[in-house]
Amino acid sequence: MRMRSSQPSGARYTRLPQSDDGFIDLQFQRPPRKVPYRAITLAVVLFLLGTTLLVVGSLLLTGLVIDPAYADRTWPVLLLGLLLFIPGSYHVFIAWGAWRGVKGYSFDDLPEYND
């Protein structure tokens, strides 16, 4: 086992200033805003498809588009429209608030789809 030598190794050491509190200014700066375009695109697609299916389902339910005898086929359309509309509208609202700079909303709240 090698022992340390008591002679200095030639490294130059300097004393740290006493006013140093261990923090640097760089750690308090926010990184540049990264916009998750894929997540926003997916949210808009879900929102538009959900809205379309809800409108079509409502027209089917009222009997304006098809015969009321086939009204049982409208419930899957309405359910699918709701399943697409709810997450789509939620994420579009978050993206809109983050884009506008509303306090409490940020693009960090949206998922990132990195390959």
Side-chain angles (χ1 to χ4, degrees), residues 62-104:
T62 58
L64 294 175
V65 178
I66 63 169
D67 186 23
Y70 302 109
D72 60 337
R73 299 178 184 170
T74 62
W75 294 110
V77 175
L78 283 172
L79 182 65
L80 187 60
L82 275 175
L83 288 175
L84 294 175
F85 178 80
I86 292 172
S89 62
Y90 175 75
H91 286 97
V92 166
F93 186 75
I94 289 175
W96 178 78
W99 178 71
R100 297 269 307 186
V102 177
K103 187 176 179 180

Side-chain angles (χ1 to χ4, degrees), residues 53-64:
L53 287 175
L54 283 175
V55 168
V56 168
S58 299
L59 291 174
L60 292 173
L61 187 63
T62 58
L64 294 175

Side-chain angles (χ1 to χ4, degrees), residues 15-54:
R15 185 172 288 255
L16 291 175
Q18 296 297 328
S19 64
D20 185 24
D21 56 359
F23 297 105
I24 57 174
D25 293 335
L26 185 61
Q27 71 187 33
F28 295 110
Q29 293 177 355
R30 294 191 129 216
R33 191 164 83 170
K34 186 177 178 186
V35 180
Y37 292 109
R38 281 187 177 178
I40 293 173
T41 303
L42 179 63
V44 168
V45 167
L46 287 175
F47 177 72
L48 293 176
L49 279 174
T51 303
T52 303
L53 287 175
L54 283 175

